[in-house]
Amino acid sequence: MNKPNNPARFLIREVSWQQAQAELREIRSCVFVEEQLVPAHLEWDGYDENAIHLLALSSAGHAIGCARILEKGTIGRMAVLKNYRGQGVGRALLEQAIQCCRERGLNSITLSAQTHAIPFYQRSGFVIYSDEYMDAEIPHRDMQLKLSI
Ligand code: COA
């Protein structure tokens, strides 16, 4: 059965902050700042300009999800707009982010997972390696994926 905002087909595009700042800001403001109440000064942390960004676009061309990859292989800022969740967009973003790290010759990827999303990352092979801690008043644990060379 189709969901109300079923993206039907979507594509993931690798973009720079300079190319897609407006779309990336829109999604992250919506998901992290408004929905999850992450303070704006923590969300806009100064790492965006030099990061690799992934943008998910619906078949109608709307930006519906995003992810960020930092130089040393840290994935973060993984977000899908509420109406488009549960349809594989997050999985596609994560798989492409992993692929992006492989292509850059990295041998491991780390991320700071909100605890509710741990099963989502475990499905792609990430394992927990820290105790729980609070960041922006949200419980997190660090996870890692070792990439075989
Ligand atoms: N908890 C447990 N499992 C989850 C989950 C969650 N919060 N979100 C997704 N999954 C599971 C899905 O059930 C699905 O499982 P399946 O492959 O067995 O069907 C799988 O993970 C992939 O789901 P998918 O539809 O690709 O994910 P999504 O498009 O809904 O995106 C998030 C997942 C986490 C990016 C999305 O829920 C989101 O933007 N959440 C708010 C922001 C957030 O918390 N980001 C993560 C910060 S660490």
Side-chain angles (χ1 to χ4, degrees):
M1 194 173 71
N2 279 349
K3 296 204 176 184
N5 287 302
N6 189 338
R9 289 197 185 137
F10 56 87
L11 58 88
I12 310 288
R13 198 168 274 166
E14 190 177 310
V15 292
S16 67
W17 183 248
Q18 290 73 14
Q19 284 170 323
Q21 177 177 174
E23 293 90 338
L24 295 164
R25 276 190 183 275
E26 173 84 28
I27 295 167
R28 283 165 47 183
S29 295
C30 207
V31 173
F32 295 118
V33 181
E34 289 167 31
E35 182 186 334
Q36 296 193 333
L37 304 178
V38 172
H41 73 276
L42 294 181
E43 180 56 31
W44 312 116
D45 60 1
Y47 290 114
D48 286 315
E49 294 218 343
N50 295 318
I52 297 163
H53 297 270
L54 300 179
L55 194 59
L57 297 164
S58 71
S59 54
H62 297 128
I64 57 173
C66 64
R68 178 175 87 173
I69 304 143
L70 300 182
E71 196 186 356
K72 289 183 179 160
T74 302
I75 294 176
R77 301 307 196 262
M78 175 80 58
V80 174
L81 293 179
K82 213 172 198 171
N83 287 339
Y84 292 94
R85 289 181 197 156
Q87 301 172 66
V89 179
R91 158 85 58 242
L93 281 164
L94 183 57
E95 291 302 324
Q96 188 146 336
I98 294 168
Q99 183 57 24
C100 186
C101 291
R102 276 189 207 284
E103 285 166 5
R104 279 157 181 81
L106 295 163
N107 49 30
S108 81
I109 304 173
T110 55
L111 58 82
S112 173
Q114 294 183 15
T115 54
H116 73 86
I118 285 173
F120 166 74
Y121 294 115
Q122 282 174 327
R123 282 184 175 91
S124 288
F126 283 82
V127 296
I128 294 167
Y129 73 92
S130 81
D131 291 335
E132 189 173 302
Y133 59 90
M134 298 301 280
D135 185 14
E137 296 188 41
I138 299 170
H140 284 74
R141 294 182 78 174
D142 291 331
M143 300 184 81
Q144 181 180 46
L145 177 68
K146 291 207 163 118
L147 300 174
S148 46
I149 302 161

